[in-house]
Amino acid sequence: MGTRVISHKLQNPGHPIAWEDRLLLSVSLIIPLAGLLLFFLYPLFLVARRSLIGSDGRIGIDNYISILSMSNMKTVVSNSLIMSGATTLLCVLLGFAIAYALQRTRLKVRWFIRGALLLPLLAPSLVQALGLIFLFGRNGLINQQTGWDLQIYGFWGLLISNSLYALPQAVMILEASLRHSDTRYYDAAQMMGASHWQRFKDITLPNAKFGLISAAFVIFTVTITDFGNAAVIGGNYRVLATEIYSQVVGQMNFNVGAVIGMLLLLPTLVAVYIERVSSQRQFGGHSESAIPVTPVFLARRDIPLGALVYFSSFMVYAIVLTVIYASFVKLWPYRMDLTLANYNITLAGGYAPLKTSFTVSLIAASIGVLALFSLVLAQRRLPRRWAKPVYLLAILPVGVPGLVLGLAYVLSFNISGSILGMLYGSALLIALCNFYHFHSQGFLTMVTGMRGVPASLEETVTCMGGNALHGLRDAILPFMLTTLVAVFFFLFMRSMVTLSAVIFLISPQLSVAAVSVMRLEQAGFTTQAAAFSVCIMASVLVAMGLLKLVLHGISKTRYAVKAPS
């Protein structure tokens, strides 16, 4: 009964609905949808509209024609596509090698590899670029010690830093693709005399093709929209992300910025659409009765593969640990004696941006959990003809780059004398921008958690005379608690390290930690930028530790409750 009763009543108006149920459904649906309309669709509409307004105030495509006819714009677009394509190719190949090594071989000390994949997620994207500069820059450690003249700025430095930042996401997708393979196909092929290479070519690669497609388009999207690495190590290699920043912040040309934002949005939406289709096909093809493949040792495969994987992991550790070490160095690379002076940060607002990031992240996580839970709860109770449009609207933000969303917020809320203008320059607006930037990922996680709530529990509450509020308290919330905590910390951690979504929303009075790192580096205070990066990573690590403690406490509580029965 439970959910089915409510859905039946909604589809059949002749059956009365209790006012508590009607109130719960209305509130849980209207408020999140109003938030999506006001803080997502409306700002995007203004960006699209602004891109069509010419210098004479007339609406047309003159801005697009003038932008695309600029000689440097063709170079910027081609640079973005080439960089994103090269990063995608490198990450997919290396990511597949790492995923295959983790799933199909018996490599030792896997924690070393897992740790390397975790590190890029703990800090803003520009930390990888900062580490490369400490090692291979003009005053980098390698150049100083060897006398080499390595040129890390430009294409190659940006390619490496982008790849290091995006690699963990590729590995996660490809691991999921390999994890669901069925060993019976391999056993049958072996009995028919197929070699290891034939089994890999005819079974492994075809089964992983949708995972490879998904990983490719996710990496392409992440790379073409990233701002941090391009701003720090890109040098003269201009890309669309830095061009938007230059037009909006440097020249205050919002019309041109809006046009570039729309150009940046198009390939991202295409990539997201293809990734979604491939993901659905990938997961739809798995069998629940599949028998996992048992890893075996094959020397001619595992030794070179292990060397590649361990070397890649070592490079990630070397870059991040170099940033940590540099944060304690007095003057890199000339005075290498250790000091804590770099942590006495007085420039770029001192540690105020870090406190602001904490505040913003807590607000984003709190609002996000409430809004997402309410939306998923309402979607669960809606008839299918209404639930599907709500679902599509909820996952739409995943296709909008952070830079485009941030620019949209400037155009929407930087308006004096209006109610919306009161939000501009506040921590609340930055928190809302962060939340809607990561809205889709949180929503999909909530949907997965909600599907795990047994329908029989709600039926039991209904049979005992309980209403929707009782079902929410006694049936849904206890089972959703782990998901709620996970989504809270996901939104908190992503808000702590994001840069592109908030770069347009900061002001001299209000900034965030990731922006302070960029400002310190651009001002030449690289060791202080490293120190600030370490503070961000430490904060995110503490948050992850708290997440594990909370989840462990929840699991122990559940076990204690179930044990007597």
Side-chain angles (χ1 to χ4, degrees):
M1 297 167 68
T3 304
R4 291 198 292 270
V5 171
I6 295 174
S7 298
H8 178 71
K9 290 177 179 178
L10 288 171
Q11 298 175 56
N12 297 275
H15 292 78
I17 305 175
W19 72 268
E20 299 97 333
D21 296 348
R22 187 183 296 111
L23 178 64
L24 177 63
L25 178 62
S26 300
V27 171
S28 60
L29 178 63
I30 292 174
I31 294 179
L33 286 183
L36 277 168
L37 291 174
L38 182 59
F39 296 106
F40 177 67
L41 290 181
Y42 172 68
L44 284 185
F45 167 76
L46 289 186
V47 170
R49 181 175 176 272
R50 188 65 175 264
S51 70
L52 296 172
I53 298 178
S55 56
D56 57 357
R58 298 173 59 183
I59 294 179
I61 61 172
D62 293 343
N63 287 334
Y64 288 88
I65 295 175
S66 61
I67 289 296
L68 293 177
S69 63
M70 294 169 57
S71 57
N72 69 316
M73 186 53 60
K74 294 179 181 178
T75 301
V76 168
V77 173
S78 63
N79 283 350
S80 294
L81 294 176
I82 292 171
M83 175 56 61
S84 300
T87 304
T88 299
L89 179 62
L90 180 58
C91 280
V92 168
L93 293 176
L94 185 55
F96 185 81
I98 296 174
Y100 189 87
L102 291 171
Q103 289 295 317
R104 301 294 174 83
T105 70
R106 293 186 174 182
L107 291 182
K108 305 298 182 183
V109 292
R110 291 168 180 258
W111 60 265
F112 183 81
I113 304 171
R114 298 286 186 191
L117 295 174
L118 176 64
L119 285 176
L121 303 176
L122 300 178
S125 60
L126 54 83
V127 169
Q128 283 75 34
L130 195 61
L132 287 172
I133 291 173
F134 280 126
L135 285 173
F136 305 106
R138 299 184 183 95
N139 292 319
L141 188 63
I142 303 299
N143 284 3
Q144 291 292 321
Q145 296 296 322
T146 63
W148 298 343
D149 186 21
L150 299 175
Q151 298 296 324
I152 196 63
Y153 296 93
F155 176 84
W156 291 108
L158 187 54
L159 174 64
I160 296 172
S161 57
N162 280 338
S163 299
L164 290 174
Y165 178 64
L167 183 61
Q169 301 179 61
V171 174
M172 285 188 289
I173 295 171
L174 293 169
E175 265 201 283
S177 177
L178 293 171
R179 191 179 295 120
H180 297 282
S181 298
D182 195 334
T183 190
R184 288 173 292 189
Y185 292 106
Y186 293 89
D187 294 340
Q190 185 177 11
M191 292 179 63
M192 296 174 65
S195 64
H196 288 285
W197 168 247
Q198 289 174 322
R199 279 176 272 168
F200 175 81
K201 179 172 62 74
D202 298 332
I203 301 176
T204 301
L205 287 180
N207 286 342
K209 63 181 179 181
F210 291 118
L212 289 167
I213 294 173
S214 296
F217 282 99
V218 167
I219 300 309
F220 182 88
T221 302
V222 168
T223 304
I224 202 171
T225 61
D226 180 69
F227 172 76
N229 284 323
V232 173
I233 205 171
N236 294 325
Y237 193 85
R238 305 289 296 177
V239 294
L240 283 170
T242 53
E243 192 65 24
I244 293 179
Y245 183 78
S246 174
Q247 291 291 336
V248 174
V249 176
Q251 304 180 36
M252 299 300 291
N253 195 335
F254 288 95
N255 288 1
V256 174
V259 171
I260 299 174
M262 297 307 296
L263 294 177
L264 190 61
L265 184 61
L266 290 177
T268 305
L269 287 176
V270 173
V272 169
Y273 171 75
I274 296 176
E275 189 273 331
R276 286 291 164 196
V277 172
S278 63
S279 295
Q280 291 173 2
R281 293 183 180 181
Q282 172 70 27
F283 291 109
H286 295 323
S287 171
E288 294 182 359
S289 61
I291 302 175
V293 177
T294 302
V296 295
F297 176 75
L298 187 64
R300 63 178 181 273
R301 176 197 66 186
D302 294 355
I303 292 177
L305 185 61
L308 174 64
V309 171
Y310 285 127
F311 175 77
S312 302
S313 302
F314 172 78
M315 286 299 298
V316 176
Y317 279 110
I319 290 171
V320 176
L321 290 177
T322 299
V323 173
I324 297 174
Y325 176 64
S327 71
F328 295 100
V329 171
K330 183 167 290 186
L331 182 61
W332 186 278
Y334 305 107
R335 299 182 59 182
M336 302 296 286
D337 43 323
L338 302 182
T339 178
L340 292 174
N342 294 323
Y343 286 86
N344 183 25
I345 299 174
T346 57
L347 299 174
Y351 282 105
L354 185 60
K355 296 177 183 177
T356 301
S357 289
F358 263 102
T359 303
V360 165
S361 301
L362 287 173
I363 295 173
S366 301
I367 293 176
V369 166
L370 290 174
L372 291 172
F373 178 73
S374 298
L375 187 59
V376 170
L377 183 67
Q379 193 230 1
R380 173 184 173 92
R381 297 175 182 275
L382 285 174
R384 182 174 178 82
R385 67 178 183 273
W386 297 110
K388 190 171 182 179
V390 170
Y391 180 88
L392 293 176
L393 178 60
I395 65 172
L396 190 59
V398 74
V400 179
L403 276 173
V404 177
L405 188 61
L407 176 61
Y409 271 48
V410 174
L411 298 178
S412 305
F413 300 102
N414 189 15
I415 304 173
S416 59
S418 69
I419 297 177
L420 294 179
M422 295 174 63
L423 289 173
Y424 194 76
S426 67
L428 176 60
L429 187 63
I430 297 178
L432 288 169
C433 183
N434 283 338
F435 164 51
Y436 286 102
H437 185 204
F438 301 108
H439 184 280
S440 303
Q441 297 92 322
F443 175 79
L444 293 173
T445 304
M446 281 285 188
V447 169
T448 302
M450 187 67 78
R451 287 173 180 168
V453 178
S456 58
L457 285 179
E458 288 189 272
E459 295 175 7
T460 301
V461 173
T462 303
C463 291
M464 296 177 66
N467 55 28
L469 292 174
H470 292 114
L472 175 63
R473 183 192 65 190
D474 300 329
I476 297 177
L477 281 176
F479 270 84
M480 285 290 293
L481 193 56
T482 300
T483 302
L484 292 172
V485 172
V487 171
F488 179 90
F489 278 97
F490 166 77
L491 293 173
F492 177 85
M493 289 186 286
R494 297 313 298 166
S495 295
M496 283 292 298
V497 302
T498 188
L499 174 64
S500 61
V502 300
I503 190 64
F504 294 132
L505 300 179
I506 54 97
S507 66
Q509 295 77 30
L510 185 73
S511 187
V512 294
V515 175
S516 291
V517 175
M518 185 188 73
R519 284 177 167 176
L520 287 168
E521 191 279 332
Q522 291 180 339
F525 300 97
T526 53
T527 52
Q528 290 195 352
F532 217 119
S533 300
V534 172
C535 292
I536 297 175
M537 288 188 284
S539 302
V540 178
L541 274 175
V542 170
M544 290 185 62
L546 289 175
L547 171 61
K548 287 189 175 182
L549 288 175
V550 172
L551 293 178
H552 180 67
I554 292 173
S555 62
K556 285 184 65 176
T557 303
R558 282 187 177 177
Y559 178 79
V561 171
K562 293 179 180 179
S565 59

